[in-house]
Amino acid sequence: MKANVTSALWLELLGGLLVVLGVLLAWLAFILANQTIDPNLDKNLLRIRIDFPGLLEGVARHLSVAGAWLAGVGAVLFFGAGYLVWVFRVVLGLAALFALGVWAWLALG
């Protein structure tokens, strides 16, 4: 049940893409969190009850959480691709045995 190269390669590719997307979201969150705000813009937006620094901070926080999740899942896929292929094969084999067992139980019962 050794994982072949192509089945693990797709998981590694997906994991790498998720890590890159996570890094891009984290970079965008960092840029938004360190954005300098024009005092006149902030004052004008407060007149219509929009807290622009708070809005930027909230968006940056949500983007950083999404980036961290993407990078974490991507790292698990990238570094654990061989193990995941092995687990998928075991689970699919057990599911096939279960289906055959149900068929045999119904056919012979």
Side-chain angles (χ1 to χ4, degrees), residues 13 16-17 22-23 32 42-43 45 51 57 61 67 90 96 104:
L13 178 65
L17 288 174
V23 167
L32 286 177
D42 187 32
K43 186 170 51 171
L45 287 174
D51 180 24
E57 182 182 343
R61 185 176 295 123
V90 168

Side-chain angles (χ1 to χ4, degrees), residues 3-101:
N4 58 9
V5 177
T6 55
S7 53
L9 184 65
W10 285 106
L11 286 174
E12 288 177 356
L13 178 65
L14 177 63
L17 288 174
L18 288 177
V19 168
V20 168
L21 286 174
V23 167
L24 288 175
L25 283 178
W27 176 73
L28 182 62
F30 180 74
I31 294 295
L32 286 177
N34 290 327
Q35 187 69 28
T36 57
I37 299 164
D38 184 23
N40 291 327
L41 176 65
D42 187 32
K43 186 170 51 171
N44 288 333
L45 287 174
L46 279 176
R47 289 182 186 165
I48 56 174
R49 299 181 193 270
I50 295 177
D51 180 24
F52 195 58
L55 177 70
L56 282 180
E57 182 182 343
V59 169
R61 185 176 295 123
H62 288 300
L63 282 176
S64 69
V65 168
W69 271 102
L70 280 175
V73 170
V76 167
L77 285 177
F78 184 78
F79 292 110
Y83 298 112
L84 288 172
V85 168
W86 182 80
V87 168
F88 291 155
R89 287 181 177 174
V90 168
V91 168
L92 288 176
L94 290 174
L97 284 176
F98 174 73
L100 288 172

